[in-house]
Amino acid sequence: MALEKILQVTGKGVYVPGSDIDTDRIIPARFMKCVTFDGLGEYLFYDVRFNEDGSEKPHPLNDPKFKEASILLSGVNFGCGSSREHAPQALYRYGIRAVIAQSFAEIFFGNCTTLGVPCVAATAEDIEALAKAIEADPATEIKVDVENGRVFFGDGQQFPVHIPDTAREALISAKWDPIGELLEGAPEVEATASQLAYLQG
Amino acid sequence: MSKSLFEKVWEAHSVRKLANGQTQLLIGTHLIHEVTSPQAFGMLRDLGLKVKYPERTFATVDHIVPTLSQEEPFADPLADAMIKELAKNAEEFGVTYFDLSSGRQGIVHVVGPEQGITQPGTTIACGDSHTATHGAFGAIAFGIGTTQIRDVLATQTMAMSKLKVRRINVDGELPPGVYAKDVILHIIKLLGAKGGIGYAYEYGGSVFDNFSMEERMTVCNMSIEGGARCGYVNPDEKTFEYLKGRPYSPKDEAWDEAVERWKAIASDPDCDYDDVVNIRAEDIAPSVTWGISPDHGIFVDETIPDPAKAKTEAERESIQEALDYMKLEAGAPIKGTKIDVAFVGSCTNGRVSDFREVAKFIKGHHVVEGVKAIAVPGSQIVAHLCEKEGLADIFREAGFEWRGAGCSMCLAMNPDKLIGDQLCASSSNRNFKGRQGSPIGRTILMSPVMVAAAAITGEVSDAREVFQVADSAALAG
């Protein structure tokens, strides 16, 4: 499978403020009653975006100004809780291609990387500054430079972001979906398994 | 060189280094359920791949099963489609499936240990963040996403970065009426909901030495609520005693060999840890949450935090958001908060010892009018034992609805849901906004005995007072 190198992601941004935004909030459990990931984008942040009668609540993702956003900004420990890949899938299918937050929960981070969605960490101040720029002009073009660990926006503003080397390398070398490489390791897998008593007989 | 259990297991299961620097890690045991696996099987079909080690893959159905009637077809067509899909996938790919007619169905984290599938020194993965539960046996067990389920199905491996290890010692003696649930809520409160990111938690100290396997499971289960992807306890005689004679446990000579291996896999006494945290058992009291994150914990006799006293603006906003959602008053005692629903169950606290402990106290008491109380065993075997021991009848007589096995109201993917802004005293693991099925439903996490006390009084209560726990402990002792 030929994957695409993800060196950078460019697009418009939307800021969903808050700390510890969990995967139940990103996609409530009742929308996981499905056997494919198709259509999950419409349930993204459902309970904070919609009332029970389906009418819209005030939420950045409901604001027409941010309808074209493909880069999500948030706070601390984004994506905590359940391991459900339905959360990154909902973000992806909604159109999100990168997330900038203060920090990420581990399973969520891994799930996003495997989908080719870079999650980069920045300071509260830098995220706040970017959020202000987006608020002032939602058309602000943002570039998440995965390769060099920087975010560029507006007329020449920029700040550093952190992404673990392993994720950076996987994204920029087109190996973010590891299945091909894992399959190639089959002979070594057999060798390792043969050394483990509980896997014999 | 001295090593921790984590390092020993990691090394034994490391297949090779991947180009990006991660490790290709062998997963000895793969547990699957109906919610996170169907798309993974779909990906396997698309790629024309098979399950590499079907004999190391075990399936059960837990999240979507109704608990009132478990007759198929289910009333909910979506849930019915999911259970049928799992049965089809298990059949097509040759995977062992503990279905509803097996007598062995249940929450995947209850079933694994019960069947002896969960063993020390192994690696276990499951598409569920509470997989850390299996760490109670000295296994390295963690939750994975669906694409990773595909990876494990197809290759029995996954790409992973090595974790650091934080040793958490809890020494001393827990006061009467303080349970494993209180220990983990206390740990999460101290270290925070993201404190464990990048770490495996190794739990130890005299409190863990004295804990039963089921108590160890309760603590390991909630490692993820503290941000740690896995948590474990070193295996000891209690571990071996629990596993002996279970369906998938080694037998005869293989058993003796396994026990020797399991003893050797424990952390060496003088090994180095990346971090060590020491907690005094005597400092822990019955705990409850007041907010919308598992680290929003307080002791039951404390007051609800006041945003005005927050140290930072971010903390003030976070407390205010939680109080607004929970409709609780800053500075008020948590004790006395009216509840609408009481839930005993889940992979955290749905094992037979949980029901035994509650049954000891609720005899002669009754759930107060206006409170809906449900008890949901974690597996069909737990349900069977509870019937056999008369525990189910004690719950029924006390006014609890006694249900069939499943995840139930922990995440409300089945019909068991909060309605409107109902407040639930819950023995489950997450108090996130909307977690229990209503977008405005509210959750207060606590131990099963505390849930029972709340069910009886209709409000958050100190179980030690409701059940005169100190006296009971004296009687028992």
Side-chain angles (χ1 to χ4, degrees), chain B residues 46-127:
Chain B
D46 291 346
L47 294 167
L49 296 169
K50 291 185 160 55
V51 175
K52 185 161 173 77
Y53 290 122
E55 70 280 11
R56 298 303 310 168
T57 312
F58 301 90
T60 192
V61 58
D62 51 11
H63 287 62
I64 52 107
V65 291
T67 57
L68 271 176
S69 159
Q70 300 193 322
E71 292 284 307
E72 292 179 61
F74 297 154
D76 176 349
L78 295 175
D80 201 58
M82 291 178 83
I83 193 171
K84 285 196 167 65
E85 185 78 9
L86 181 64
K88 184 184 89 177
N89 289 331
E91 165 88 31
E92 181 181 334
F93 289 92
V95 168
T96 303
Y97 174 31
F98 303 115
D99 68 8
L100 283 168
S101 66
S102 66
R104 304 201 263 179
Q105 170 270 342
I107 306 176
V108 63
H109 310 309
V110 178
V111 171
E114 216 164 55
Q115 293 300 317
I117 294 167
T118 303
Q119 294 176 13
T122 62
T123 49
I124 300 176
C126 175

Side-chain angles (χ1 to χ4, degrees), chain A residues 76-156:
Chain A
V76 175
N77 202 22
F78 187 75
C80 61
S82 159
S83 61
R84 61 186 69 162
E85 190 171 306
H86 304 67
Q89 290 279 358
L91 286 164
Y92 185 86
R93 280 151 207 271
Y94 176 88
I96 299 299
R97 292 293 177 270
V99 187
I100 307 170
Q102 282 173 258
S103 62
F104 298 91
E106 219 161 293
I107 304 178
F108 175 86
F109 178 88
N111 286 340
C112 283
T113 307
T114 309
L115 294 183
V117 175
C119 290
V120 297
T123 64
E125 293 72 30
D126 287 336
I127 291 172
E128 200 64 40
L130 177 55
K132 278 200 181 121
I134 299 170
E135 183 60 40
D137 179 11
T140 301
E141 197 71 7
I142 304 166
K143 177 165 94 177
V144 179
D145 183 343
V146 180
E147 195 176 12
N148 299 304
R150 297 198 82 78
V151 164
F152 300 87
F153 65 100
D155 38 349

Side-chain angles (χ1 to χ4, degrees), chain B residues 230-412:
Chain B
C230 73
Y232 65 91
V233 177
N234 283 300
D236 61 9
E237 289 301 327
K238 282 189 180 158
T239 319
F240 313 146
E241 194 187 317
Y242 178 99
L243 286 173
K244 190 148 197 181
R246 295 197 178 254
Y248 287 86
S249 294
K251 312 253 176 322
D252 308 318
E253 264 175 49
W255 169 261
D256 297 331
E257 285 167 24
V259 170
E260 287 315 305
R261 271 200 325 271
W262 294 343
K263 283 180 179 163
I265 204 76
S267 294
D268 298 321
D270 54 348
C271 73
D272 285 329
Y273 295 101
D274 298 290
D275 190 30
V276 178
V277 172
N278 294 303
I279 295 169
R280 268 168 37 100
E282 290 76 8
D283 292 342
I284 309 176
S287 298
V288 293
T289 56
W290 55 269
I292 53 171
S293 171
D295 63 354
H296 289 162
I298 48 174
F299 296 137
V300 67
D301 53 8
E302 291 183 308
T303 55
I304 296 162
D306 185 345
K309 291 178 185 159
K311 290 181 204 81
T312 63
E313 179 58 19
E315 188 189 347
R316 191 198 65 75
E317 281 175 18
S318 160
I319 295 174
Q320 193 59 54
E321 180 191 3
L323 294 182
D324 291 346
Y325 183 83
M326 292 299 291
K327 301 177 180 159
L328 293 176
E329 191 192 329
I334 189 85
K335 217 160 80 172
T337 303
K338 296 273 178 256
I339 67 146
D340 306 292
V341 177
F343 170 60
V344 179
S346 84
C347 60
T348 313
N349 282 119
R351 297 181 183 77
V352 69
S353 59
D354 295 307
F355 296 103
R356 280 188 194 130
E357 190 64 21
V358 174
K360 274 203 309 211
F361 297 110
I362 58 173
K363 248 185 167 165
H365 290 279
H366 201 279
V367 173
V368 73
E369 211 184 311
V371 168
K372 179 187 179 73
I374 68 170
V376 183
S379 71
Q380 292 180 333
I381 290 179
V382 171
H384 171 76
L385 288 171
C386 288
E387 290 291 354
K388 203 172 91 178
E389 294 180 21
L391 308 173
D393 281 336
I394 294 173
F395 274 84
R396 289 185 189 108
E397 280 159 27
F400 277 81
E401 295 178 29
W402 183 262
R403 300 290 190 87
C407 300
S408 180
M409 204 183 266
C410 174
L411 87 167

Side-chain angles (χ1 to χ4, degrees), chain B residues 13 29 81 99 129 132 134 158 204 242 262 287 301 409 448 464 468:
Chain B
H13 291 78
T29 304
D99 68 8
S129 60
H134 307 268
M158 56 182 279
Y242 178 99
W262 294 343
S287 298
D301 53 8
M409 204 183 266
R464 296 170 300 187
Q468 298 163 332

Side-chain angles (χ1 to χ4, degrees), chain A:
Chain A
M1 286 172 302
L3 298 175
E4 171 197 351
K5 288 183 182 177
I6 299 174
L7 304 176
Q8 58 181 57
V9 177
T10 53
K12 298 180 178 62
V14 59
Y15 181 37
V16 176
S19 54
D20 300 310
I21 291 183
D22 59 79
T23 54
D24 275 84
R25 203 170 328 163
I26 297 171
I27 181 124
R30 64 183 183 281
F31 300 118
M32 295 200 294
K33 281 196 267 184
C34 54
V35 295
T36 73
F37 290 128
D38 299 344
L40 285 185
E42 60 184 288
Y43 304 122
L44 180 67
F45 284 111
Y46 194 89
D47 287 341
V48 281
R49 286 175 62 199
F50 300 98
N51 292 305
E52 286 191 70
D53 63 7
S55 59
E56 289 189 356
K57 295 182 188 177
H59 188 276
L61 292 182
N62 289 340
D63 190 330
K65 283 193 303 201
F66 304 120
K67 281 291 184 216
E68 286 173 46
S70 61
I71 297 171
L72 184 85
L73 279 62
S74 194
V76 175
N77 202 22
F78 187 75
C80 61
S82 159
S83 61
R84 61 186 69 162
E85 190 171 306
H86 304 67
Q89 290 279 358
L91 286 164
Y92 185 86
R93 280 151 207 271
Y94 176 88
I96 299 299
R97 292 293 177 270
V99 187
I100 307 170
Q102 282 173 258
S103 62
F104 298 91
E106 219 161 293
I107 304 178
F108 175 86
F109 178 88
N111 286 340
C112 283
T113 307
T114 309
L115 294 183
V117 175
C119 290
V120 297
T123 64
E125 293 72 30
D126 287 336
I127 291 172
E128 200 64 40
L130 177 55
K132 278 200 181 121
I134 299 170
E135 183 60 40
D137 179 11
T140 301
E141 197 71 7
I142 304 166
K143 177 165 94 177
V144 179
D145 183 343
V146 180
E147 195 176 12
N148 299 304
R150 297 198 82 78
V151 164
F152 300 87
F153 65 100
D155 38 349
Q157 288 165 279
Q158 54 169 292
F159 55 83
V161 291
H162 175 73
I163 178 163
D165 289 342
T166 49
R168 175 185 170 276
E169 189 56 35
L171 290 162
I172 67 171
S173 63
K175 289 198 164 171
W176 36 272
D177 182 338
I179 187 72
E181 208 181 351
L182 294 176
L183 285 165
E184 282 166 19
E188 287 104 317
V189 173
E190 312 267 342
T192 307
S194 72
Q195 299 298 308
L196 290 161
Y198 76 98
L199 297 180
Q200 312 312 312

